[in-house]
Amino acid sequence: MTPLPDSLQRSWQMAALSRDLRDKPLARTVAGTPLVLFRDATGTAAALTDRCPHRNYPLSEGRVSEGVLQCAYHGWRFRADGACVEVPGCELEPGEDRRLAASPVAVRELNGAVLVRLSPDEVDLPDLGPWGADDHDHFWWSQGVWRGRVLDALENVLDPFHTNFIHDGIIRRSGRRMPVGLSVLAGEDWIESIIDQPQPDLGWMSRLLEPPRERSRTRLYAPTLVQARWEGPNGLTLCVTVFFTPVTETTLAPYACFTTPKGRGPGWLKEAAIRMFLEPVVAQDRRALAAQLDNIERFGAPRFLQGPGDLLGARVAQLYQGQRIEPASEGPFEHRL
Ligand code: FES
Ligand SMILES: [Fe+2]
């Protein structure tokens, strides 16, 4: 199987929802690295690699007291920065707290997301516009761990043509299409697909739920962060920010935050409606990613062909690998969706 690229170590990856990280240690794997998350005495999120430096015991099986994580095997205690502050039954010599330290991982917590960065490089998150903004409603929808490759999930979410088929009737329709203009915009470390269309999609989800639509845009921020925005004549109607966290080479954990302008109904109602309508769509994509991976494994390696609708071409894979791409502005091209 294709090994995970180094770009995943250098970027911020979502490890958990804030609301899931409470007073117990939480085990999470990000880009192949097992981690333990916990909160220090001030409530600040912390992460260590999930291996006690003493005898390799999983730290996630330990417990947290006064913001310090205690290994369940011999009771060594570790601070958020990894320092070993106690070896039960023994005195620590000066400097031993560092010699016996666990390995810390960079953490930041933002808008309900606990993010980790495995390598010490100083990369930042892109500006994600309305994500987390006070004058919008937000809710998180975490999807558990899926079987599939992150790269295939990125291709899926950036590709509108599968929506007429896999989501036939729900999002778009295979038997009835409308003319759209497709454009591509790219910077060195992002690429965006833009769809201009005269009305919402022809599937029943859009027809029942969606206010007038003029344009939708989906942007990939290298290597694995995607934000999609739907816009009508009065501006933004919906924004979805998805952290596609690679777990291992063959599994991923998508975390999606749905953002809507305040005003059109209470937040809880919008959340209930979006969840109800999107549930089957999410299940269809989840099944597709697993089937794709099963077949890649059956043949031993992936092989991709770019068709006339694949306007982003190989650039999604390049960004995922951490490569820079040429800034571009292409289209609009006429297609039918
Ligand atoms: S293995 Fe963790 S304290 Fe010994
Ligand atoms: Fe889909």
Side-chain angles (χ1 to χ4, degrees):
M1 193 42 55
T2 4
L4 294 173
D6 289 346
S7 55
L8 305 179
Q9 313 273 321
R10 296 194 301 269
S11 51
W12 287 101
Q13 297 289 339
M14 189 157 165
L17 295 173
S18 294
R19 63 175 182 243
D20 291 338
L21 181 56
R22 301 153 82 97
D23 48 1
K24 290 201 174 70
L26 209 57
R28 287 286 192 270
T29 298
V30 174
T33 303
L35 301 174
V36 55
L37 310 177
F38 65 105
R39 292 194 182 277
D40 73 9
T42 65
T44 306
L48 305 172
T49 53
D50 192 9
R51 167 153 73 163
C52 181
H54 182 217
R55 291 291 183 268
N56 292 271
Y57 204 79
L59 288 170
S60 54
E61 291 192 12
R63 64 191 194 95
V64 183
S65 61
E66 287 155 8
V68 175
L69 176 62
Q70 182 165 42
C71 178
Y73 198 172
H74 309 91
W76 289 22
R77 299 177 74 227
F78 302 95
R79 254 185 357 219
D81 65 355
C84 176
V85 293
E86 189 189 344
V87 172
C90 308
E91 286 295 315
L92 282 180
E93 300 290 332
E96 276 197 312
D97 61 335
R98 298 285 2 145
R99 187 177 72 79
L100 305 177
S103 307
V105 167
V107 180
R108 65 190 285 193
E109 193 167 9
L110 200 59
N111 301 334
V114 179
L115 303 155
V116 298
R117 197 190 54 216
L118 296 167
S119 96
D121 300 10
E122 285 297 322
V123 293
D124 213 344
L125 277 176
D127 174 5
L128 291 168
W131 181 57
D134 287 342
D135 52 349
H136 288 67
D137 291 314
H138 310 274
F139 72 90
W140 278 104
W141 193 0
S142 79
Q143 305 284 340
V145 176
W146 292 13
R147 175 163 164 73
R149 303 191 317 158
V150 168
L151 176 57
D152 296 330
L154 300 175
E155 295 260 19
N156 169 288
V157 75
L158 285 157
D159 152 45
F161 287 92
H162 84 279
T163 58
N164 293 73
F165 256 80
I166 280 216
H167 311 304
D168 186 10
I170 306 181
I171 295 187
R172 294 191 174 92
R173 294 166 64 170
S174 60
R176 193 169 151 227
R177 291 172 178 253
M178 75 172 112
V180 300
L182 291 186
S183 312
V184 177
L185 266 184
E188 284 188 335
D189 56 0
W190 57 269
I191 194 161
E192 178 171 280
S193 145
I194 302 165
I195 307 174
D196 285 291
Q197 62 188 67
Q199 54 174 300
D201 302 331
L202 296 173
W204 52 262
M205 186 171 76
S206 290
R207 300 204 322 181
L208 286 179
L209 270 193
E210 200 181 329
R213 178 181 332 168
E214 292 182 338
R215 166 176 283 196
S216 59
R217 44 173 86 226
T218 310
R219 182 178 291 197
L220 167 65
Y221 295 95
T224 55
L225 176 53
V226 172
Q227 192 177 63
R229 302 187 195 191
W230 285 261
E231 296 163 4
N234 301 319
L236 184 79
T237 58
L238 172 67
C239 170
V240 186
T241 308
V242 192
F243 290 82
F244 285 98
T245 300
V247 177
T248 64
E249 288 170 28
T250 54
T251 54
L252 70 147
Y255 295 92
C257 186
F258 290 76
T259 297
T260 47
K262 282 194 194 290
R264 290 186 70 236
W268 64 265
L269 185 62
K270 288 188 279 190
E271 173 170 353
I274 289 173
R275 279 177 181 267
M276 187 175 78
F277 282 87
L278 272 185
E279 189 93 51
V281 174
V282 168
Q284 287 162 337
D285 281 327
R286 181 175 187 158
R287 205 202 140 268
L289 290 178
Q292 203 176 354
L293 175 56
D294 287 344
N295 214 29
I296 288 171
E297 287 182 338
R298 212 152 60 111
F299 281 89
R303 194 176 71 179
F304 289 102
L305 199 60
Q306 303 301 342
D310 297 317
L311 302 181
L312 307 185
R315 289 174 285 187
V316 174
Q318 288 171 326
L319 290 173
Y320 170 70
Q321 301 280 350
Q323 295 165 18
R324 302 258 149 182
I325 58 172
E326 281 288 314
S329 171
E330 301 157 9
F333 305 101
E334 284 177 24
H335 286 279
R336 296 177 70 79
L337 284 177

